[in-house]
Amino acid sequence: MMKELLLAIAFTVISATAALAAGDLPGQAATTNVPGSDYPRVLPDRRAIFQLKAPEAHSVAVEIYGQTYAMAKGDDGVWSVTTPPLVVGFHFYSLILDGVHVNDPGSRTFYGTGIDSSGIEVPETGVDYYHKQDVPHGDVRIRLYHSKVTGKWRRAFVYTPPGYDDHPNRRYPVLYLQHGSNEDETGWTFQGHANLILDNLIAEKKAVPMIIVMDNCYAMRPGDVGQDPQIESPLRPNFPAFEAVMLQDVIPMIDATFRTIPDRDHRAIAGLSMGSNEALRVGTGNLDKFAYIGGFSGGMNGLHTDPLDPATAFGGRFKDGAAFNAKVKLLWLGMGTAEPKPFPAAIGAFRKMLDDAGIRYVFFSSPGTAHEWLTWRRDLHAFAPRLFK
Amino acid sequence: MMKELLLAIAFTVISATAALAAGDLPGQAATTNVPGSDYPRVLPDRRAIFQLKAPEAHSVAVEIYGQTYAMAKGDDGVWSVTTPPLVVGFHFYSLILDGVHVNDPGSRTFYGTGIDSSGIEVPETGVDYYHKQDVPHGDVRIRLYHSKVTGKWRRAFVYTPPGYDDHPNRRYPVLYLQHGSNEDETGWTFQGHANLILDNLIAEKKAVPMIIVMDNCYAMRPGDVGQDPQIESPLRPNFPAFEAVMLQDVIPMIDATFRTIPDRDHRAIAGLSMGSNEALRVGTGNLDKFAYIGGFSGGMNGLHTDPLDPATAFGGRFKDGAAFNAKVKLLWLGMGTAEPKPFPAAIGAFRKMLDDAGIRYVFFSSPGTAHEWLTWRRDLHAFAPRLFK
C-alpha cells in the first residue's frame, strides 16, 4: 500500500527534475520551496509564478500580501498565474482551492498566522546580510525546559555565536528576542534568519558575539483564561504568564546553562509586533534586569491609537524621562513604511508619549516593507550592532 | 489588508478555544495539531475524527495509512469522517480536496514523503519512552557546515546529551543516525523523538550518554546526476556523494567541534529505510571507523529481493564471516511485522546472505507496525542501550 504512494512520489520528483534539467523554465525556483519543486518561481522582475495541478477543481487562486490572484486552468489540469512584481522579502501565502485556503505542496511550511503556512522568499538584489555566507556559523539549539510558572515543558531556540564551544571560559551577553502573534519560537530562525544575521554581523565585527534566546511568548498558568489586560491583542489570548515565565524560568535557566554575563548591562530584550509589546513591557518594567530594549513594529499599547499620557500610562513608568534616560542604554522602535492600519497610528501614539516625557529612543524606518519579516530582519540587523558596546 | 487576515484568524482560534472549553468534544485533540486546533481528534479506541470546512467543495476525503476515507458534508459546510481504529504511532496523512492532496490546516507539518506533510500521532497506551518526561534533557543543535565534497552549506541536527555543557572535560561516543527517502535531517527529532528517547534511556541508565548526529543523506557533487548505483532506490536519486560527505566532511567536523571520543569503538552508524542502506554500506565498508552498525527497515540491497551470494555481493565484504564478527561489536537489523512489499523479502534476502556467511547480527521485530516512524522509534529504543558498552 505504501509502496504505490512512494513510487508515485518518486515519479513526480523525477519528472520535476527532468523539467529543471531541460533549463526551459523562466526565473528561479523559490529558495523557500521543498527540495526538487520547480514552483513557485520568481522572475528577475519579482513577479512570481504559482502552479497547482488540480484537474477536478472549479477554482484556484493564490492569496499573497493581502491580494488574491485567480489562477487559470491549462489543458493538462495545471492551474497557474503570474503575479505582478512582489515586494521583496518573505511572504506567507495560501492557495485557495474551491474556496478553501490550503498550502502549496511545492513550498516549505513556516509556522505563522496560527498554522504551518506556505511562504515565499522574494530576493533582494545586492543584499546578503541574512544569507548563508562563508563565515563562521553559530548553532541554534532546540532546548527543552520545565516551567515552574506554567507547570509545563516549554521549548526555546537558543543561538550560540561562532566560537562558543571553542572558548570554554568566555562569557557572553544575551539578547532575548520575541516572535509575534500566532507565531512561535521557530520564527526568528526559520523566517527571520536571526542566526545568519548575527553570524554575518559578528564576522564583520559590527556586532559583538552574543547569545540570542528565542522563546515562546504564549504562556498560561494552570487555570489562566483570557489575555493579558495590558496588551489586549485581538489574537490568541493566552500569554498572561509571559513576564513571569521570562523572569522566573527563562532567564535563570539561561544563566545557569550558558556562559552568560548575568547582569543588566549585558542583557537586552526585543520583539516584533505582539512580541514588541511584550519586550517593551517586560524590559521597561524591569530596568534592573535589562539595559537595552527594542520594539519592532509595536509599542506597548497593542492596536490602540488613543493618545497616551506619560503621567498615567503604564503605571507612570515613563513619567520621569530623565531618570529613564539615565538607566536605559538603548530604547529602539522600528517599523516598515508600508505597515497597514492600525500600526502607524498605534506606534505613533506610543512615540508621542515618549516624546512628551523627553525619553530618548532610536526610531528605525524600513523602506517599502509592511508588517512582515523583512521589516524585522532589517530591524535586527540595525539593532544588534548597538548592543553591549 | 493584513489586519483583516489577522482578525479572521483570531476569530477562528477564539471560536475553537470556546468549543474546547465547553468540553463537549469526544476524545483528545491530536498532540500533532497546531496550537488551538481541535481537529483531528483521537478517540480512546484509536478511531480518529478528521474535519475540514469546505462549503464549496464537491468531495473531501482523508488518506492515511494507505487507506482513503470519504468525508461527509454537514449543513454548516464542514466535512468530517471518523476512521476505523488506527495503528498506534505517527502517520503522515493528506486530505483530498476535489482531487488534490492537501495538508490539513489543523495539523502541524512534518517533512516526509518529499513535502511538509500533515501528520497525526495515535497514542500508545502505557508507553512513554518517547514522551517528554521529568528527566534532564539534552539539546538538539541546528548546525550549519560547509561541505568540501558538495561545495555547499549543509545542515545537521546534533543531539548533545544532558550534562554535556556541565562537564567540559568529558568526552562522548557518537551515533550517526540517518533518515529515510524523501525525508531530511529533521525527521529523527520531530517525528522520531530520538532526543527524547535518549533522554529517557540515559535517565534510566539504560544507555550511556552519547552524541547523535542526524545529517541529511542527500548529497551530490557538482555535476553529479543520477543515483548511487549500489542502492538503486526508485526515490529521489541524488545521494551519490553521501559516503564521501560522511567521511570527509561530517565526521571530521563533528570530531573537531564536539567533545567526541574519535575512534571506532566509540562510533556507531545507523539509519532507516534508504538511510539503513546507506548506514550499512558506509559502516560495513569502513570497519576502521565504525564498530556498531544498525539497519532499521532496510538491508544494503535497496528494494531488490533476489538472493545474494556473500562471496560476490557488495564486493565480497561479507564473505569472511569470522573476520567480520571479530571486528564488529554489533550488527543490528530491524523491521516491523506489518511492513509492506518488498521490504520483508528484500531484508530477508540480505539476512539470508549474512546467515550464509556466518555473520552474527541481532534481528529486531516491531509487532504490528509498518514502514513508519513507530517502527524506527522502537528500533532506536532497543538499539541505543547496546552501544558503547
Side-chain angles (χ1 to χ4, degrees), chain A residues 35 98 109 139-140 142-143 236, chain B residues 35 98 109 139-140 142-143:
Chain A
D98 288 349
T109 62
D139 287 346
V140 176
I142 304 173
R143 182 161 191 85
R236 205 165 52 145
Chain B
D98 288 348
T109 62
D139 287 346
V140 176
I142 304 173
R143 183 161 191 84

Side-chain angles (χ1 to χ4, degrees), chain B residues 41-106:
Chain B
R41 304 184 71 74
V42 184
L43 303 176
D45 61 0
R46 293 183 279 102
R47 291 180 299 152
I49 309 174
F50 294 88
Q51 276 201 357
L52 184 73
K53 183 161 189 174
E56 301 168 30
H58 297 260
S59 74
V60 186
V62 58
E63 184 178 288
I64 185 167
Y65 206 70
Q67 302 293 321
T68 301
Y69 303 101
M71 294 163 77
K73 185 179 181 179
D75 293 339
D76 52 359
V78 176
W79 298 70
S80 68
V81 68
T82 302
T83 69
L86 296 173
V87 173
V88 292
F90 176 90
H91 310 296
F92 289 111
Y93 75 97
S94 294
L95 301 182
I96 307 175
L97 171 60
D98 288 348
V100 183
H101 284 73
V102 298
N103 284 344
D104 182 344

Side-chain angles (χ1 to χ4, degrees), chain B residues 26-42:
Chain B
Q28 300 287 333
T31 57
T32 33
N33 289 359
V34 292
S37 175
D38 290 333
Y39 290 90
R41 304 184 71 74
V42 184

Side-chain angles (χ1 to χ4, degrees), chain A residues 141 143 158-176 209-213 251-263 266-267, chain B residues 139 141 164-169 257 259:
Chain A
R141 302 190 190 192
R143 182 161 191 85
V158 181
Y159 168 81
T160 51
Y164 182 87
D165 292 293
D166 302 326
H167 300 96
N169 296 314
R170 181 167 174 179
R171 304 188 75 88
Y172 296 83
V174 185
L175 165 62
Y176 291 85
M210 66 185 77
I211 293 166
I212 305 180
V213 178
I251 292 176
M253 179 274 289
I254 293 294
D255 283 338
T257 309
F258 295 90
R259 299 191 310 278
T260 65
I261 308 172
D263 62 32
H266 299 88
R267 197 180 287 127
Chain B
D139 287 346
R141 302 191 190 193
Y164 182 87
D165 292 293
D166 303 327
H167 300 96
N169 296 314
T257 309
R259 298 191 312 276

Side-chain angles (χ1 to χ4, degrees), chain B residues 6 30 56 65-66 81 92 135 145 168 185 205 216 239 241 243 274 279 288 292 306 320 329 342 345 358 389:
Chain B
L6 293 173
E56 301 168 30
Y65 206 70
V81 68
F92 289 111
V135 299
Y145 67 95
E185 67 275 16
K205 299 191 185 305
N216 192 312
F239 44 85
E243 180 167 4
M274 180 185 87
D288 59 321
Y292 301 84
D306 300 336
D320 186 344
K329 296 197 172 189
K389 286 183 174 171

Side-chain angles (χ1 to χ4, degrees), chain A residues 6 9-10 35 54 56 58 98 100 108-109 111 113 116 133 137 139-143 153 165 234-236, chain B residues 6 9-10 35 54 56 58 98 100 108-109 111 113 116 133 137 139-143 153 165 234-236:
Chain A
L6 293 172
I9 292 165
E56 301 168 29
H58 296 260
D98 288 349
V100 183
R108 299 301 315 240
T109 62
Y111 185 70
T113 74
D116 283 321
Q133 298 187 43
H137 289 279
D139 287 346
V140 176
R141 302 190 190 192
I142 304 173
R143 182 161 191 85
W153 286 95
D165 292 293
L235 299 172
R236 205 165 52 145
Chain B
L6 293 173
I9 292 164
E56 301 168 30
H58 297 260
D98 288 348
V100 183
R108 298 301 316 240
T109 62
Y111 186 69
T113 72
D116 283 321
Q133 298 187 43
H137 289 279
D139 287 346
V140 176
R141 302 191 190 193
I142 304 173
R143 183 161 191 84
W153 286 94
D165 292 293
L235 299 172
R236 205 165 53 145

